[in-house]
Amino acid sequence: AQEPLDLLVIGAGPHALSLLTRLIDDEPDLMSEAERIHLMQRARARSHAEVRHHLLKRFDLKSKVRVGTGSSASNSIHNSTLVIDTHGRWMAQWAADFEAFGIEFLRSHEYLHPDPYDFQSLTVWAKMRNRGSELKQMNCVDRRDCHRVGFKGPFVTPGSRLFLDFCADLVARYGLEQIVRKGTVEEIQILPPQPCSGEGPHSVKAGKGSDPQPETGKNDQMSLTQRHLLEVVLSDGRRFIARWV
């Protein structure tokens, strides 16, 4: 029988990249947009030197331990996680759209990007590579109107080529090149619950600081939900089973 994947991600765009790098990084930024704005207004953001240091870091997944299993995170990410994308490459659809529509600069500002460590990462990365000229001021935005609704910047948008190169660097630093497979998802099916070994209706429920423990009982809705697996069907007939999609 096919061993279920821990995670199957549909689409190799910036949202998938943001998710996977946050699962790998030792110090991921999990703040909301409101929390980031609050941090910026109080001038408590990390220094550019700290961000530069982290941007030079490469993640050796083989040295990381997967919590609760004793197996390596390399096995978790590379063998138990898969990204399915129609083009089979990271950011391919975004690159095609940029070219097709002649998009030179993004609509979103410089702090909106997939890097998991710090919202300033794209800005610092551009300056490290002497590409600060590819960060453009939003001269057509009425800043007074923005201030009235609570947005105080940044009013800088990155070039599309800069953004794609930054994402490619993220893919390389976090070792995510090899987990993308070319394919188009056609259907996602919820598989029937699989009974565990032993007598009676068993389910698997994770406990704090320990491996998942079996529990009994028909009324535990969370436990019953966790027993379901998902089957992802591609247009070419391939099928993948995963715990999370």
Side-chain angles (χ1 to χ4, degrees):
Q2 178 185 345
E3 179 69 21
L5 297 163
D6 283 341
L7 174 65
L8 188 146
V9 180
I10 302 171
H15 297 88
L17 187 55
S18 177
L19 169 66
L20 292 178
T21 54
R22 276 167 171 76
L23 291 176
I24 297 168
D25 200 286
D26 300 321
E27 303 176 81
D29 170 12
L30 302 177
M31 291 186 292
S32 67
E33 186 70 10
E35 288 171 329
R36 290 192 192 96
I37 292 173
H38 180 75
L39 195 69
M40 288 186 290
Q41 290 175 345
R42 291 181 173 272
R44 292 180 179 174
R46 290 186 177 102
S47 69
H48 280 199
E50 289 179 273
V51 179
R52 280 195 299 271
H53 177 74
H54 195 271
L55 287 170
L56 296 173
K57 185 175 181 180
R58 302 184 76 87
F59 287 82
D60 179 11
L61 300 184
K62 293 181 180 180
S63 68
K64 296 171 73 69
V65 176
R66 184 180 168 195
V67 175
T69 65
S71 61
S72 68
S74 176
N75 289 334
S76 175
I77 295 296
H78 289 160
N79 298 331
S80 294
T81 301
L82 200 62
V83 178
I84 302 295
D85 184 83
T86 300
H87 301 275
R89 304 186 312 278
W90 283 105
M91 299 297 295
Q93 185 62 57
W94 279 61
D97 290 344
F98 286 157
E99 182 176 357
F101 294 102
I103 298 172
E104 296 182 19
F105 290 88
L106 276 67
R107 292 180 300 174
S108 51
H109 60 70
E110 61 184 333
Y111 289 171
L112 297 178
H113 53 73
D115 185 271
Y117 180 68
D118 194 274
F119 57 85
Q120 305 169 101
S121 293
L122 175 57
T123 309
V124 175
W125 189 87
K127 292 177 180 178
M128 287 171 64
R129 284 156 178 75
N130 297 316
R131 297 177 66 174
S133 61
E134 296 177 58
L135 298 169
K136 183 179 181 180
Q137 290 289 329
M138 300 179 184
N139 295 322
C140 297
V141 175
D142 190 322
R143 303 191 181 192
R144 289 175 298 180
D145 285 346
C146 291
H147 290 166
R148 276 195 289 269
V149 297
F151 180 71
K152 298 182 179 180
F155 296 97
V156 175
T157 183
S160 56
R161 186 70 258 169
L162 176 72
F163 185 77
L164 290 174
D165 291 345
F166 177 71
C167 291
D169 185 67
L170 275 179
V171 170
R173 288 198 300 114
Y174 286 84
L176 296 172
E177 301 98 327
Q178 304 302 319
I179 68 170
V180 181
R181 299 290 182 270
K182 187 174 183 179
T184 301
V185 174
E186 193 170 80
E187 187 178 4
I188 302 174
Q189 300 175 346
I190 301 175
L191 298 178
Q194 298 297 316
C196 300
S197 59
E199 297 181 0
H202 285 73
S203 59
V204 175
K205 187 174 183 181
K208 289 185 177 181
S210 63
D211 290 340
Q213 298 295 323
E215 288 191 355
T216 60
K218 297 181 179 180
N219 297 324
D220 190 336
Q221 185 175 2
M222 177 62 72
S223 297
L224 290 174
T225 301
Q226 291 182 358
R227 292 171 61 202
H228 287 278
L229 295 175
L230 300 168
E231 184 177 51
V232 178
V233 184
L234 305 191
S235 58
D236 61 7
R238 283 178 293 163
R239 295 169 181 263
F240 297 94
I241 297 174
R243 295 182 176 89
W244 297 94
V245 176

